[in-house]
């Protein structure tokens, strides 16, 4: 997942030999498949060994350190093992029976209100979107709802970020997800064709836009490369405002900036990108 990959990059940068064990068939399984493949390739080039589709069956101490046990192999010897297997809401503050709980998470409606009227539960504790920026938004909206300014919380356009080297980010649907319900289109603009990336000497990555064909609605944006954590916020805002790829392709971005690649990706879908 995100934390495991971030920590793998950090320890690798310090010179440690790093192995990543992932139960799913790809790393970053909740992100776009192409993002996963790209990041796996970058990690591999840095000497990070990735074991996907592999279960960790246990960790034992040895005279030399630790032994990680995996099926069908002799396992891995390690000095340190980081277990980054997700998070669980802390319900120690909740009296039994006070509010409805489902699978270890407090149940809330779209206003963040629990089954007990007047009690709200925004943030990680409801398990809807366990990210700091989601919690900020849910908390602010819950407070306003409690004071009578009632509006539902919309979590459709929450960006996710891997703070790695390079960064990766995504918001909305992946191409496989969009293709299930729409006639989906994809436009990919490589950062190798972006002036700012070329000038900085860091051309790894790309910007991808997923849209539907009929109206040009932006369904998802996925980025690998420098500045991904910043550019994804523009994408999230545009999607919330229902801006189409037609309008985005006409938006003027400062040059040279990495964010130009967002408008260029819209142009790739429309066949109007001149810098590709």
């Amino acid at each position: 997942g995100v934390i495991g990959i971030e920590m793998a990059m950090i320890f690798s940068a310090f010179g440690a030999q790093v192995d990543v064990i992932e139960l799913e068939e790809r790393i970053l399984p909740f992100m776009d498949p192409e993002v996963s493949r790209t990041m796996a390739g970058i990690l591999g080039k840095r000497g990070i060994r990735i074991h996907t589709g592999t279960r960790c069956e246990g960790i034992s101490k040895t005279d030399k350190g630790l032994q990680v046990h995996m099926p069908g192999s002799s396992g891995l010897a390690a000095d340190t093992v980081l277990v980054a297997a997700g998070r669980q809401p802390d319900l120690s503050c909740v009296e039994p029976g006070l509010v409805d709980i489902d699978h270890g998470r407090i149940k809330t409606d779209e206003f963040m209100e629990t089954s007990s009227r007047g009690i709200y539960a925004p943030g990680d504790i409801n398990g809807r979107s366990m990210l700091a920026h989601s919690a900020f938004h849910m908390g602010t909206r819950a407070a306003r709802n409690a004071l009578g300014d009632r509006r539902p919380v919309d979590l459709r356009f929450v960006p996710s970020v891997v703070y790695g080297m390079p960064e990766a980010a995504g918001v909305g649907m992946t191409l496989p997800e969009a293709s299930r319900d729409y006639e989906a289109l994809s436009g990919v603009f490589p950062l190798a064709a972006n002036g700012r990336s070329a000038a900085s000497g860091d051309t790894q990555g790309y910007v991808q836009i997923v849209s539907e064909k009929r109206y040009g609605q932006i369904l998802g944006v996925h980025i690998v490369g420098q500045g991904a954590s910043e550019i994804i916020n523009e994408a999230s805002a545009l999607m919330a405002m229902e801006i189409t790829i037609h309008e985005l392709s006409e938006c003027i971005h400062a040059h040279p900036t990495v964010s130009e690649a967002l408008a260029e990706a819209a142009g790739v879908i429309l066949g109007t990108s001149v810098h590709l």
Side-chain angles (χ1 to χ4, degrees), residues 133 159 161 171 223 228-239 262:
H133 43 286
V161 180
V171 61
I223 307 169
S229 61
E230 302 293 341
I231 303 168
I232 203 65
N233 297 312
E234 179 185 355
S236 177
L238 294 174
M239 291 171 67
L262 186 63

Side-chain angles (χ1 to χ4, degrees), residues 10 17 43 50 80 91 100 108 130 139 160-161 168 171 177 192 223 254 258 261 265:
I10 290 170
Q17 172 59 55
L43 292 172
I50 299 174
T80 304
L91 302 183
D100 288 346
T108 64
M130 298 179 75
S160 297
V161 180
V171 61
E177 289 170 344
I223 307 169
V258 182

Side-chain angles (χ1 to χ4, degrees), residues 176-246:
E177 289 170 344
S179 298
R180 289 197 287 266
D181 298 314
Y182 299 90
E183 188 175 356
L185 303 174
S186 171
V188 178
F189 189 83
L191 295 186
N194 174 262
R196 179 66 177 269
S197 298
S200 68
D202 187 357
T203 57
Q204 291 184 108
Y206 61 88
V207 175
Q208 178 197 34
I209 291 180
V210 178
S211 74
E212 57 82 40
K213 184 176 181 179
R214 186 175 183 185
Y215 300 110
Q217 178 186 357
I218 301 172
L219 303 174
V221 176
H222 309 281
I223 307 169
V224 174
Q226 61 166 325
S229 61
E230 302 293 341
I231 303 168
I232 203 65
N233 297 312
E234 179 185 355
S236 177
L238 294 174
M239 291 171 67
M241 293 186 290
E242 300 183 342
I243 298 297
T244 69
I245 56 172
H246 304 281

Side-chain angles (χ1 to χ4, degrees), residues 67-88:
Q67 184 75 13
V68 180
H69 303 284
M70 302 182 296
S73 74
S74 58
L76 292 171
D79 297 314
T80 304
V81 176
L82 169 69
V83 180
R87 293 165 291 159
Q88 188 71 17

Side-chain angles (χ1 to χ4, degrees), residues 1-11 18-22 27-28 43 48 82-86 162:
V2 171
I3 294 172
I5 296 305
E6 290 172 343
M7 297 303 290
M9 288 188 171
I10 290 170
F11 277 93
V18 179
D19 286 80
V20 175
I21 302 172
E22 170 56 55
I27 62 168
L28 302 171
L43 292 172
I48 297 173
L82 169 69
V83 180
V162 179

Side-chain angles (χ1 to χ4, degrees), residues 147-158:
L147 293 171
D149 177 20
R150 290 182 68 81
R151 279 186 285 165
V153 172
D154 186 354
L155 297 175
R156 290 176 298 163
F157 309 117
V158 176

